[in-house]
Amino acid sequence: MELISGCSKVTSEEEFYCKADEYWKNIPSTLNGMLGGYGHISQIDIRGSYTFLKRFLEGPGARVKPNRALDCGAGIGRVAKHLLLPLFKTVDLAELNSNFLEQARTYLGDASSRVGNYYCCGLQDLKLKEKSYDLIWVQWVTGHLTDAHFVTFLNECKSALRKGGLIIIKDNVAILEVELDSDDSSVTRNPEELRHIYNTANMKILFEQKQTHFPPELYNVYMTALESK
């Protein structure tokens, strides 16, 4: 059974997900833990995300209403706190690790009063109400989905978007071959594989941009705004 296109090392769906779950259970519920020891890049990351997102909220390209957003792979709520809650009235969090979600309630502080739902599940199991979100932000988590579940997840998100809503994916992108990380049980897809998945989910790229000013040893990181074809 081929789970990840171009990556023959992944042989068992159950093993793929269980290893990732076990890995994150051993990661501390801290900013540094969420960013793999690179906590110092958080402000750079948020600034890049803010600039990318604002073009869809203000000015001639405005189309996303600032009402409700969903943070997928939310961790302790870093993106929700510094990016989404300052821009949206209500934000929901989706995260597999229950310890991270519990810590999020503290990390978000007073802003937690504007968190609507805490979804504790993997994105492959996420079920969303139709036409409920203006934005779905998905950061550093798609590598934990098989190809088939990635498509299923995108279709779930697509049905949950309101008119003008967008899915924005921010993630590592491989230059050449799809790469498997056996430590955290994740894959880093190349542009060809990502576009194949988007096409399969009947979605198109509205705008895409590379994150700048990250340390050179890290993967290239791209922000991709998706809409239905």
Side-chain angles (χ1 to χ4, degrees), residues 169-188:
I169 295 176
K170 186 169 186 176
D171 221 324
N172 299 335
V173 176
I175 296 175
L176 298 175
E177 300 298 324
V178 178
E179 300 179 24
L180 172 67
D181 186 330
S182 58
D183 290 333
D184 68 359
S185 191
S186 69
V187 292
T188 302

PDB file of all heavy atoms in Angstrom, residues 169-188:
ATOM      1  N   ILE A 169      -1.849  27.068   3.720  1.00  0.00           N
ATOM      2  CA  ILE A 169      -0.924  26.058   4.213  1.00  0.00           C
ATOM      3  C   ILE A 169       0.471  26.660   4.275  1.00  0.00           C
ATOM      4  O   ILE A 169       0.955  27.243   3.302  1.00  0.00           O
ATOM      5  CB  ILE A 169      -0.926  24.808   3.302  1.00  0.00           C
ATOM      6  CG1 ILE A 169      -2.297  24.125   3.358  1.00  0.00           C
ATOM      7  CG2 ILE A 169       0.181  23.836   3.711  1.00  0.00           C
ATOM      8  CD1 ILE A 169      -2.445  22.941   2.435  1.00  0.00           C
ATOM      9  N   LYS A 170       1.090  26.543   5.432  1.00  0.00           N
ATOM     10  CA  LYS A 170       2.476  26.990   5.599  1.00  0.00           C
ATOM     11  C   LYS A 170       3.286  25.790   6.061  1.00  0.00           C
ATOM     12  O   LYS A 170       3.045  25.255   7.146  1.00  0.00           O
ATOM     13  CB  LYS A 170       2.573  28.139   6.616  1.00  0.00           C
ATOM     14  CG  LYS A 170       3.984  28.738   6.715  1.00  0.00           C
ATOM     15  CD  LYS A 170       3.999  30.025   7.516  1.00  0.00           C
ATOM     16  CE  LYS A 170       5.372  30.675   7.467  1.00  0.00           C
ATOM     17  NZ  LYS A 170       5.409  31.977   8.166  1.00  0.00           N
ATOM     18  N   ASP A 171       4.234  25.376   5.233  1.00  0.00           N
ATOM     19  CA  ASP A 171       4.929  24.133   5.559  1.00  0.00           C
ATOM     20  C   ASP A 171       6.280  24.048   4.862  1.00  0.00           C
ATOM     21  O   ASP A 171       6.581  24.814   3.936  1.00  0.00           O
ATOM     22  CB  ASP A 171       4.067  22.926   5.158  1.00  0.00           C
ATOM     23  CG  ASP A 171       4.118  21.815   6.197  1.00  0.00           C
ATOM     24  OD1 ASP A 171       5.202  21.602   6.794  1.00  0.00           O
ATOM     25  OD2 ASP A 171       3.086  21.180   6.424  1.00  0.00           O
ATOM     26  N   ASN A 172       7.079  23.092   5.337  1.00  0.00           N
ATOM     27  CA  ASN A 172       8.352  22.793   4.701  1.00  0.00           C
ATOM     28  C   ASN A 172       8.120  22.205   3.316  1.00  0.00           C
ATOM     29  O   ASN A 172       7.157  21.456   3.109  1.00  0.00           O
ATOM     30  CB  ASN A 172       9.133  21.766   5.531  1.00  0.00           C
ATOM     31  CG  ASN A 172       9.449  22.254   6.927  1.00  0.00           C
ATOM     32  OD1 ASN A 172       9.518  23.460   7.165  1.00  0.00           O
ATOM     33  ND2 ASN A 172       9.631  21.330   7.855  1.00  0.00           N
ATOM     34  N   VAL A 173       9.006  22.525   2.392  1.00  0.00           N
ATOM     35  CA  VAL A 173       8.920  21.988   1.037  1.00  0.00           C
ATOM     36  C   VAL A 173      10.291  21.469   0.630  1.00  0.00           C
ATOM     37  O   VAL A 173      11.293  22.190   0.727  1.00  0.00           O
ATOM     38  CB  VAL A 173       8.441  23.062   0.038  1.00  0.00           C
ATOM     39  CG1 VAL A 173       8.439  22.513  -1.388  1.00  0.00           C
ATOM     40  CG2 VAL A 173       7.049  23.561   0.416  1.00  0.00           C
ATOM     41  N   ALA A 174      10.328  20.216   0.183  1.00  0.00           N
ATOM     42  CA  ALA A 174      11.575  19.604  -0.267  1.00  0.00           C
ATOM     43  C   ALA A 174      11.960  20.148  -1.639  1.00  0.00           C
ATOM     44  O   ALA A 174      11.090  20.489  -2.454  1.00  0.00           O
ATOM     45  CB  ALA A 174      11.433  18.097  -0.330  1.00  0.00           C
ATOM     46  N   ILE A 175      13.244  20.215  -1.902  1.00  0.00           N
ATOM     47  CA  ILE A 175      13.713  20.726  -3.188  1.00  0.00           C
ATOM     48  C   ILE A 175      13.595  19.657  -4.276  1.00  0.00           C
ATOM     49  O   ILE A 175      13.127  19.917  -5.379  1.00  0.00           O
ATOM     50  CB  ILE A 175      15.168  21.217  -3.074  1.00  0.00           C
ATOM     51  CG1 ILE A 175      15.249  22.405  -2.101  1.00  0.00           C
ATOM     52  CG2 ILE A 175      15.723  21.601  -4.439  1.00  0.00           C
ATOM     53  CD1 ILE A 175      16.660  22.874  -1.830  1.00  0.00           C
ATOM     54  N   LEU A 176      13.987  18.430  -3.938  1.00  0.00           N
ATOM     55  CA  LEU A 176      13.993  17.366  -4.940  1.00  0.00           C
ATOM     56  C   LEU A 176      13.003  16.269  -4.573  1.00  0.00           C
ATOM     57  O   LEU A 176      11.832  16.362  -4.871  1.00  0.00           O
ATOM     58  CB  LEU A 176      15.414  16.814  -5.096  1.00  0.00           C
ATOM     59  CG  LEU A 176      16.467  17.829  -5.590  1.00  0.00           C
ATOM     60  CD1 LEU A 176      17.852  17.206  -5.576  1.00  0.00           C
ATOM     61  CD2 LEU A 176      16.116  18.317  -6.992  1.00  0.00           C
ATOM     62  N   GLU A 177      13.491  15.230  -3.909  1.00  0.00           N
ATOM     63  CA  GLU A 177      12.655  14.079  -3.601  1.00  0.00           C
ATOM     64  C   GLU A 177      11.838  14.301  -2.327  1.00  0.00           C
ATOM     65  O   GLU A 177      12.215  15.081  -1.455  1.00  0.00           O
ATOM     66  CB  GLU A 177      13.522  12.825  -3.436  1.00  0.00           C
ATOM     67  CG  GLU A 177      14.336  12.462  -4.671  1.00  0.00           C
ATOM     68  CD  GLU A 177      13.463  12.143  -5.864  1.00  0.00           C
ATOM     69  OE1 GLU A 177      12.380  11.544  -5.655  1.00  0.00           O
ATOM     70  OE2 GLU A 177      13.838  12.491  -6.997  1.00  0.00           O
ATOM     71  N   VAL A 178      10.708  13.592  -2.233  1.00  0.00           N
ATOM     72  CA  VAL A 178       9.950  13.550  -0.986  1.00  0.00           C
ATOM     73  C   VAL A 178      10.827  12.917   0.082  1.00  0.00           C
ATOM     74  O   VAL A 178      11.470  11.899  -0.160  1.00  0.00           O
ATOM     75  CB  VAL A 178       8.654  12.737  -1.173  1.00  0.00           C
ATOM     76  CG1 VAL A 178       7.879  12.642   0.139  1.00  0.00           C
ATOM     77  CG2 VAL A 178       7.790  13.359  -2.270  1.00  0.00           C
ATOM     78  N   GLU A 179      10.863  13.515   1.265  1.00  0.00           N
ATOM     79  CA  GLU A 179      11.761  13.048   2.320  1.00  0.00           C
ATOM     80  C   GLU A 179      10.969  12.598   3.546  1.00  0.00           C
ATOM     81  O   GLU A 179      10.036  13.280   3.970  1.00  0.00           O
ATOM     82  CB  GLU A 179      12.733  14.156   2.707  1.00  0.00           C
ATOM     83  CG  GLU A 179      13.614  14.620   1.550  1.00  0.00           C
ATOM     84  CD  GLU A 179      14.563  15.734   1.948  1.00  0.00           C
ATOM     85  OE1 GLU A 179      14.880  15.838   3.165  1.00  0.00           O
ATOM     86  OE2 GLU A 179      14.984  16.504   1.070  1.00  0.00           O
ATOM     87  N   LEU A 180      11.377  11.458   4.103  1.00  0.00           N
ATOM     88  CA  LEU A 180      10.759  10.918   5.313  1.00  0.00           C
ATOM     89  C   LEU A 180      11.660  11.175   6.509  1.00  0.00           C
ATOM     90  O   LEU A 180      12.853  10.884   6.477  1.00  0.00           O
ATOM     91  CB  LEU A 180      10.515   9.408   5.164  1.00  0.00           C
ATOM     92  CG  LEU A 180      10.051   8.675   6.429  1.00  0.00           C
ATOM     93  CD1 LEU A 180       8.654   9.127   6.831  1.00  0.00           C
ATOM     94  CD2 LEU A 180      10.084   7.166   6.214  1.00  0.00           C
ATOM     95  N   ASP A 181      11.097  11.720   7.570  1.00  0.00           N
ATOM     96  CA  ASP A 181      11.789  11.890   8.840  1.00  0.00           C
ATOM     97  C   ASP A 181      11.319  10.773   9.761  1.00  0.00           C
ATOM     98  O   ASP A 181      10.180  10.779  10.221  1.00  0.00           O
ATOM     99  CB  ASP A 181      11.463  13.255   9.445  1.00  0.00           C
ATOM    100  CG  ASP A 181      12.278  13.558  10.701  1.00  0.00           C
ATOM    101  OD1 ASP A 181      12.634  12.601  11.423  1.00  0.00           O
ATOM    102  OD2 ASP A 181      12.539  14.745  10.956  1.00  0.00           O
ATOM    103  N   SER A 182      12.185   9.815  10.026  1.00  0.00           N
ATOM    104  CA  SER A 182      11.802   8.659  10.837  1.00  0.00           C
ATOM    105  C   SER A 182      11.699   9.007  12.312  1.00  0.00           C
ATOM    106  O   SER A 182      11.109   8.250  13.090  1.00  0.00           O
ATOM    107  CB  SER A 182      12.811   7.522  10.638  1.00  0.00           C
ATOM    108  OG  SER A 182      14.116   7.942  10.986  1.00  0.00           O
ATOM    109  N   ASP A 183      12.258  10.145  12.736  1.00  0.00           N
ATOM    110  CA  ASP A 183      12.190  10.531  14.145  1.00  0.00           C
ATOM    111  C   ASP A 183      10.777  10.950  14.533  1.00  0.00           C
ATOM    112  O   ASP A 183      10.209  10.451  15.509  1.00  0.00           O
ATOM    113  CB  ASP A 183      13.169  11.667  14.444  1.00  0.00           C
ATOM    114  CG  ASP A 183      14.623  11.209  14.381  1.00  0.00           C
ATOM    115  OD1 ASP A 183      14.885  10.014  14.625  1.00  0.00           O
ATOM    116  OD2 ASP A 183      15.488  12.057  14.094  1.00  0.00           O
ATOM    117  N   ASP A 184      10.211  11.901  13.785  1.00  0.00           N
ATOM    118  CA  ASP A 184       8.858  12.368  14.133  1.00  0.00           C
ATOM    119  C   ASP A 184       7.783  11.787  13.217  1.00  0.00           C
ATOM    120  O   ASP A 184       6.622  12.155  13.310  1.00  0.00           O
ATOM    121  CB  ASP A 184       8.784  13.895  14.142  1.00  0.00           C
ATOM    122  CG  ASP A 184       8.940  14.507  12.749  1.00  0.00           C
ATOM    123  OD1 ASP A 184       9.133  13.762  11.773  1.00  0.00           O
ATOM    124  OD2 ASP A 184       8.858  15.740  12.645  1.00  0.00           O
ATOM    125  N   SER A 185       8.182  10.857  12.338  1.00  0.00           N
ATOM    126  CA  SER A 185       7.253  10.191  11.421  1.00  0.00           C
ATOM    127  C   SER A 185       6.468  11.208  10.601  1.00  0.00           C
ATOM    128  O   SER A 185       5.250  11.309  10.678  1.00  0.00           O
ATOM    129  CB  SER A 185       6.287   9.276  12.185  1.00  0.00           C
ATOM    130  OG  SER A 185       5.552   8.450  11.290  1.00  0.00           O
ATOM    131  N   SER A 186       7.215  11.970   9.813  1.00  0.00           N
ATOM    132  CA  SER A 186       6.591  12.960   8.941  1.00  0.00           C
ATOM    133  C   SER A 186       7.272  12.927   7.585  1.00  0.00           C
ATOM    134  O   SER A 186       8.378  12.403   7.444  1.00  0.00           O
ATOM    135  CB  SER A 186       6.698  14.367   9.537  1.00  0.00           C
ATOM    136  OG  SER A 186       8.042  14.810   9.517  1.00  0.00           O
ATOM    137  N   VAL A 187       6.609  13.487   6.595  1.00  0.00           N
ATOM    138  CA  VAL A 187       7.198  13.590   5.269  1.00  0.00           C
ATOM    139  C   VAL A 187       7.273  15.054   4.866  1.00  0.00           C
ATOM    140  O   VAL A 187       6.449  15.869   5.276  1.00  0.00           O
ATOM    141  CB  VAL A 187       6.391  12.812   4.207  1.00  0.00           C
ATOM    142  CG1 VAL A 187       6.484  11.316   4.457  1.00  0.00           C
ATOM    143  CG2 VAL A 187       4.946  13.265   4.171  1.00  0.00           C
ATOM    144  N   THR A 188       8.280  15.382   4.080  1.00  0.00           N
ATOM    145  CA  THR A 188       8.388  16.691   3.472  1.00  0.00           C
ATOM    146  C   THR A 188       8.234  16.499   1.978  1.00  0.00           C
ATOM    147  O   THR A 188       9.049  15.845   1.336  1.00  0.00           O
ATOM    148  CB  THR A 188       9.737  17.357   3.802  1.00  0.00           C
ATOM    149  OG1 THR A 188       9.871  17.460   5.225  1.00  0.00           O
ATOM    150  CG2 THR A 188       9.828  18.749   3.189  1.00  0.00           C
TER     151      THR A 188
END
